[in-house]
Amino acid sequence: MPIELRILSGARGGQSEAFEKSVIAIGRHPMSDLRFDPAKDLDVSTKHAEIRGLEGRYTLYDASSTNGTYVNGERLRGPRELQDGDVLTFGSSGPEASFHLVGAAGKTAPPARAAAPPAAPAAAAPRKPPALAKSDNRPTTERVAIAVREQTRGLRFMLIAAVVVFGGLAAGGWWIGRRDTALLDTQIRTLIALNEQTSRDFEARIRGMNDTALTNALRRRTDSLMALARAGAAKGPTRERAAAIQTDLNRNQQLQRAFVESDFPAIRQANDAAVVLITSDLGQGLEATGFTITTGGLVITNRHVVSDTSGRASRIMVKFANTGTTHRAHIVSVAAGEHDDLAVLQIDERGPFPAVKGISVSGADAAVGRPIATLGYPLGTDAAMEGSGATLVAKTTLTLGYISKVVSDRLQLDAWAGHGSSGSPVFDEHGHVIGVVWSGAVGSGGRIVYAVPSDRILELLPGEARRGLGR
C-alpha cells in the first residue's frame, strides 16, 4: 500500500511526497528519499531515520540521529509501527511530517449512549435471624456447623470470584503472549526480508569497486546472521531472543546501507593527492604511507617508519600520489605512548602542498559497525605503479572495510593491509580522517587491522598547526 508524507513545518512545510517502496530513507543526504533542506533543516541529521514497509505495514526506525526522532511527541527508543495520521518529528525542534496510508479511510467512533438514570434503591429486606435461633433442640455440634457455614459464606464467594478473576487473567496473558509472539515473529521476518534486499543492493554497488575480499566477508557475515535469525524465528521468539535478533539484523542492515549510500570514490578523489609514499633509511630501508594535514607540508605517519631502538632515520623522502617527484623531509616529533605509533614530519621545501580535507579530533564518528576506507601504498613499490625507478609515479590503493572494535587507544578494523600500509589514513563515510593504520594481527589473513585514533594527532602538533585543525 502506498504512503504519503505531508511535511507540516520546516523549510519544506506545506509539501508532500508519496512513496511505494520497502525502504524510505529520511535525512539531509542527497540520496535520501524524503530529503530535507541541507542548509535550513539543521535539526535533521544527514541520515536521520528510515520507514520500512512490508505487507502493508510500515515501521519507523531512527538511524542513530543526533537530535532524535519523535512520533506524536514521544521520542523513539526502538522500532515503532506507524498508524495513519501519526505525526513524525525529526529532532526535538525539527520539521514535522504526518504519515498517511493512501486510500485509508478514517473511522468515527459511534456516539456515546446517554447514561441511564440511576435505579431507585430497593427497600431493605428484613434480616433473617441466625440459623441457630430456629431451634434450640438441635445437637450442639449441628448448631455450630450451621453457624460456621453462615459466617464463611462470604469468604467462599470471595474465593470463587478470585479463581474466576485469576483464571481470566491467565487466559488474557496467554492470548497477549500469543499476540506478542506473532508480532515479534512478523518484525523479525520483516527485518530478514529488508536485510536480503539491502544485501543485493550492497553487492551491486560494491561490485563496481572490485573489492571481492570485502564482498565475500560481508556476504559470509550476512548469510550467518540470516541463518541464526531464521532458526530463532522458527523456535518461536521470546522477547529476549527477538530483541537480540532484531539488534543484529538492524546493525547489519545499517552497515550495508551505509556502504551503499557512501561515496568512497569521491572521498578518494578529494584526498588522494595528499597521500605520500615514504621511504626512509631505517634498517635495510623501509617503504610506508603518510598524508599531509597542512598546505605547509606537515606529514602524519607511524613512529616505527622513522624511529626504532637503533635510532632515528637520517634520510626521509616523500612522493605525493600521481607524481614522480620526491621531496626530502625531517622529523618534527614522535609519540611516546606504546600504542600511539605516530610521527610528524615536515617537508623541507616550501609549499603549498595538497592536504586531506578533514580530520576528526572528537572520535564521534569512530563507532563499531561504521564503514571505512583506507588510502595508501600496501606492498609499497611491489604493487602496480606507473613507470619504475627514478620515473616511478606513485599510485594509491583504496581499501574498504568497517570498524569491528573500539578501545581507548586503538581502532580495530575489518579491512586489508600489508607492508607499506603503515601510516595510511582511515576515512569515515563523511571523508574525515578518523585514524592512522599502524599494525595488523598475525594470522588474520590481513583482515584485522589496528589504527591509532585521529584525536592523538593533536598532541604531537606544534601550537600554530593545531589551530583550525579537525572538526
Side-chain angles (χ1 to χ4, degrees):
M1 177 183 296
I3 67 168
E4 182 183 17
L5 294 173
R6 302 171 187 169
I7 303 175
L8 307 177
S9 61
R12 296 189 57 193
Q15 301 179 22
S16 65
E17 291 193 35
F19 301 96
E20 191 169 3
K21 55 189 302 188
S22 59
V23 179
I24 301 164
I26 301 171
R28 293 187 292 121
H29 193 280
M31 294 183 66
S32 297
D33 299 303
L34 179 64
R35 187 189 182 197
F36 287 95
D37 192 298
K40 298 179 181 179
D41 293 322
L42 298 180
D43 283 321
V44 182
S45 295
T46 305
K47 301 168 187 174
H48 196 104
E50 288 182 349
I51 297 175
R52 306 175 188 172
L54 186 69
E55 297 178 353
R57 301 171 72 169
Y58 290 86
T59 304
L60 179 64
Y61 294 79
D62 183 81
S64 302
S65 63
T66 301
N67 299 312
T69 304
Y70 298 77
V71 179
N72 300 328
E74 180 182 352
R75 183 159 186 168
L76 209 62
R77 301 296 180 186
R80 174 160 172 171
E81 186 172 345
L82 295 176
Q83 306 297 324
D84 188 63
D86 280 347
V87 175
L88 319 182
T89 308
F90 305 101
S92 57
S93 303
E96 295 182 332
S98 58
F99 171 85
H100 300 277
L101 297 170
V102 176
K107 297 181 180 179
T108 305
R113 295 180 180 178
R127 300 184 66 181
K128 295 182 179 180
L132 287 174
K134 290 184 178 179
S135 175
D136 293 332
N137 296 325
R138 297 181 183 183
T140 301
T141 55
E142 184 178 347
R143 284 184 284 125
V144 170
I146 292 172
V148 169
R149 282 198 302 272
E150 289 293 332
Q151 293 179 11
T152 60
R153 179 180 298 169
L155 180 60
R156 289 199 304 275
F157 285 149
M158 290 177 62
L159 287 174
I160 292 170
V163 169
V164 172
V165 169
F166 284 120
L169 289 175
W174 174 83
W175 181 82
I176 292 173
R178 286 195 55 134
R179 183 194 63 186
D180 288 350
T181 298
L183 179 59
L184 291 171
D185 182 71
T186 299
Q187 291 174 345
I188 290 174
R189 295 185 186 280
T190 299
L191 286 172
I192 289 174
L194 289 170
N195 266 261
E196 290 174 337
Q197 179 59 51
T198 307
S199 294
R200 290 190 289 270
D201 295 342
F202 164 75
E203 291 190 13
R205 174 69 182 272
I206 208 71
R207 195 176 297 121
M209 299 183 189
N210 297 319
D211 196 332
T212 55
L214 176 65
T215 303
N216 292 336
L218 286 180
R219 183 185 294 120
R220 286 193 298 271
R221 182 178 188 268
T222 300
D223 290 346
S224 175
L225 194 58
M226 294 296 101
L228 290 174
R230 289 192 179 94
K235 291 178 181 178
T238 62
R239 287 185 180 276
E240 294 77 11
R241 186 186 301 133
I245 292 172
Q246 287 176 325
T247 298
D248 289 341
L249 289 173
N250 276 323
R251 285 177 178 171
N252 190 65
Q253 192 196 20
Q254 288 170 7
L255 172 63
Q256 292 181 331
R257 283 191 63 81
F259 271 115
V260 171
E261 294 171 358
S262 298
D263 194 350
F264 283 117
I267 291 171
R268 177 184 184 276
Q269 184 177 2
N271 295 279
D272 193 47
V275 181
V276 297
L277 174 65
I278 299 176
T279 57
S280 79
D281 61 356
L282 201 65
Q284 299 299 316
L286 188 148
E287 293 181 330
T289 302
F291 57 98
T292 45
I293 60 172
T294 67
T295 57
L298 277 181
V299 178
I300 301 299
T301 188
N302 288 147
R303 177 181 59 210
H304 72 260
V305 173
V306 294
S307 177
D308 62 13
T309 54
S310 66
R312 295 187 175 186
S314 59
R315 187 173 186 275
I316 304 170
M317 305 299 291
V318 303
K319 180 179 292 190
F320 283 94
N322 308 309
T323 74
T325 305
T326 56
H327 307 270
R328 196 176 184 99
H330 65 272
I331 300 172
V332 174
S333 59
V334 294
E338 178 184 358
H339 295 127
D340 289 350
D341 194 340
L342 292 174
V344 180
L345 312 180
Q346 173 66 58
I347 298 176
D348 293 342
E349 300 172 32
R350 296 186 62 179
F353 299 102
V356 293
K357 299 307 179 185
I359 297 179
S360 173
V361 296
S362 66
D365 293 324
V368 173
R370 301 308 302 170
I372 58 91
T374 65
L375 198 57
Y377 302 96
L379 307 183
T381 54
D382 292 335
M385 298 285 179
E386 295 286 352
S388 61
T391 62
L392 182 141
V393 176
K395 291 289 185 179
T396 60
T397 297
L398 176 70
T399 303
L400 303 185
Y402 60 93
I403 300 173
S404 56
K405 184 187 294 185
V406 176
V407 294
S408 60
D409 57 0
R410 76 195 84 169
L411 306 178
Q412 179 177 305
L413 313 176
D414 187 310
W416 190 88
H419 73 83
S421 296
S422 296
S424 297
V426 180
F427 295 95
D428 65 11
E429 69 262 44
H430 308 298
H432 303 126
V433 177
I434 61 170
V436 182
V437 172
W438 67 276
S439 177
V442 177
S444 69
R447 292 213 63 89
I448 293 183
V449 177
Y450 296 116
V452 182
S454 58
D455 56 4
R456 304 299 178 98
I457 294 174
L458 280 185
E459 301 170 10
L460 296 177
L461 297 180
E464 65 273 11
R466 296 187 189 185
R467 290 189 289 272
L469 182 68
R471 61 175 192 84

